[in-house]
Amino acid sequence: MSDSGSIAVALIWAEARNGVIGHDGSIPWHVPEDLAHFRAVTDGSTVVMGRRTWDSLPPRFRPLPGRRNVVVTRQTGWHAEGAVVAHSLEEALREAGTGGHSTTWVMGGGEIYRQALPFATRVEITEVDLTIEGDTRAPGLGADGWHRTPTPPAGWLESRSGIRYRFISCIRTTPELMPPA
Ligand code: VY7
């Protein structure tokens, strides 16, 4: 167990085959089943997101209901109703740890995933079967250090949008090599 105490840090994202997760401030596909998955996985937890991800949420979903919303920004005066503000990722993880939830879910975007990955023991990836242009990519997990298992049902699923997708759970195999939070 590393120094985030008993709070596990986990990341959740959806990526295209070429690693794209976003373009021009939103997710460049419509897979409603992924949104349902995201909601079910994060329900009742603390979610940590960057300010741009906060801005990207449809206003009726801000703050994300049923979750403690922690938003990371370098701006000193930034605030928003329903958001707990943190001025660095590490401050956000400390803040998230005070919420009494056992898992802190980091939900984007690209810059925040890169900062949070060293602290994460789990990543839930939705693979979307598209190759698509975008300006934001998921951080690579690398060839080793992670155990990848498809979330049942295994194999590609077909969205009602017609796009194929599948869920992959990634668990870190060497948590003892992690930096202290
Ligand atoms: C995108 C939305 C986009 C457009 C309309 C509604 C995975 C996702 C994220 C983050 C999806 C988004 C929504 C409806 C459900 C709301 C959240 C907003 C809720 C992620 N796999 N998928 N994400 N949503 N980190 N990982 O921001 O959301 O959860 O209540």
Side-chain angles (χ1 to χ4, degrees):
M1 174 88 45
S2 79
D3 287 344
S4 35
S6 59
I7 314 300
V9 176
L11 278 49
I12 183 167
W13 69 67
E15 65 176 37
R17 303 302 290 262
N18 56 343
V20 165
I21 61 169
H23 188 62
D24 272 350
S26 68
I27 297 174
W29 53 77
H30 181 63
V31 176
E33 295 85 353
D34 172 64
L35 299 181
H37 167 78
F38 168 76
R39 186 192 295 246
V41 169
T42 59
D43 185 51
S45 301
T46 295
V47 289
V48 170
M49 71 191 94
R51 192 270 308 162
R52 292 177 185 181
T53 293
W54 171 271
D55 284 347
S56 80
L57 293 171
R60 70 182 179 286
F61 293 111
R62 286 196 318 235
L64 293 180
R67 286 150 285 186
R68 192 146 160 278
N69 288 226
V70 178
V71 178
V72 183
T73 177
R74 294 183 189 93
Q75 299 172 49
T76 49
W78 191 90
H79 60 95
E81 197 169 318
V84 176
V85 182
H87 294 98
S88 66
L89 190 269
E90 295 192 60
E91 184 188 328
L93 296 182
R94 271 196 306 277
E95 176 55 45
T98 66
H101 304 130
S102 55
T103 299
T104 295
W105 286 99
V106 175
M107 58 167 283
E111 195 179 333
I112 299 296
Y113 290 135
R114 261 176 291 284
Q115 292 180 33
L117 187 59
F119 304 110
T121 54
R122 177 177 169 194
V123 182
E124 292 295 327
I125 300 176
T126 303
E127 291 185 346
V128 176
D129 189 24
L130 294 174
T131 298
I132 199 168
E133 191 175 298
D135 57 26
T136 310
R137 282 174 193 257
L141 294 191
D144 14 80
W146 295 89
H147 185 75
R148 297 168 60 94
T149 44
T151 304
W156 290 103
L157 304 172
E158 186 165 321
S159 170
R160 59 186 155 88
S161 68
I163 299 169
R164 297 198 302 164
Y165 66 98
R166 62 187 174 192
F167 301 122
I168 312 280
S169 286
C170 305
I171 304 292
R172 193 186 284 278
T173 53
T174 54
E176 64 277 8
L177 298 181
M178 292 169 63

